[in-house]
Amino acid sequence: MELIKQIKEAETQAQKNIEQAKAQAAKNAQDQSEKHQQTLADAEQQRKKTIEAAVKKAEQQALAEIEDLNAKAEKNRKQLHGKSTDKIPPAVKTVTDYLKG
C-alpha cells in the first residue's frame, strides 16, 4: 500500500514537473521572441541612423563641391572678362571704321 502511495506521489510530482517545464519552455520562447523583436527594432533604428548619416555626409560633400565649382566658374568668368576687355576697343574701332568706310 505504501509503495502504491509513493508511486502515485511520484506520478503527481512528475506531472507537476512536466507542467512546470512546459510553462518554463513557453516563457523562454516568449522571452526569445521579445528579444528577437527588440533586436530587429534596434537593427532598424541603426539602419536609419546610418542612412541619415550617409545622406548628411553626401549633402555636405555636394555643398562643398558646389562651392568649389562656383569658385572655379567665377575665376573662369574673371579670366574671360580680363581677356575680352583688352580686345573690345580694337574690335569697336574696326567696326566703326568699317561702317564709316
Side-chain angles (χ1 to χ4, degrees):
M1 202 60 158
E2 186 64 31
L3 185 58
I4 293 173
K5 185 178 176 184
Q6 288 177 353
I7 291 172
K8 286 185 179 182
E9 285 177 5
E11 286 177 352
T12 303
Q13 187 61 38
Q15 189 62 33
K16 187 177 178 183
N17 289 346
I18 290 170
E19 293 301 321
Q20 286 177 345
K22 284 181 182 179
Q24 186 62 39
K27 183 180 182 307
N28 289 346
Q30 179 65 29
D31 290 347
Q32 286 297 329
S33 177
E34 290 172 2
K35 186 177 179 181
H36 179 70
Q37 291 299 321
Q38 184 62 44
T39 301
L40 287 176
D42 292 346
E44 179 65 19
Q45 187 176 21
Q46 184 62 38
R47 183 186 72 84
K48 286 180 181 179
K49 285 181 182 179
T50 302
I51 289 171
E52 288 173 4
V55 167
K56 186 174 182 178
K57 184 177 179 181
E59 286 175 348
Q60 291 172 344
Q61 289 175 342
L63 289 174
E65 190 172 338
I66 288 170
E67 287 180 20
D68 184 48
L69 290 173
N70 283 339
K72 287 178 181 177
E74 182 64 19
K75 180 181 174 186
N76 289 342
R77 187 191 66 77
K78 286 181 180 180
Q79 286 177 345
L80 183 60
H81 184 267
K83 289 177 184 177
S84 64
T85 302
D86 295 340
K87 296 180 182 179
I88 291 175
V92 170
K93 183 175 183 322
T94 303
V95 171
T96 53
D97 288 347
Y98 177 77
L99 292 175
K100 289 180 184 176

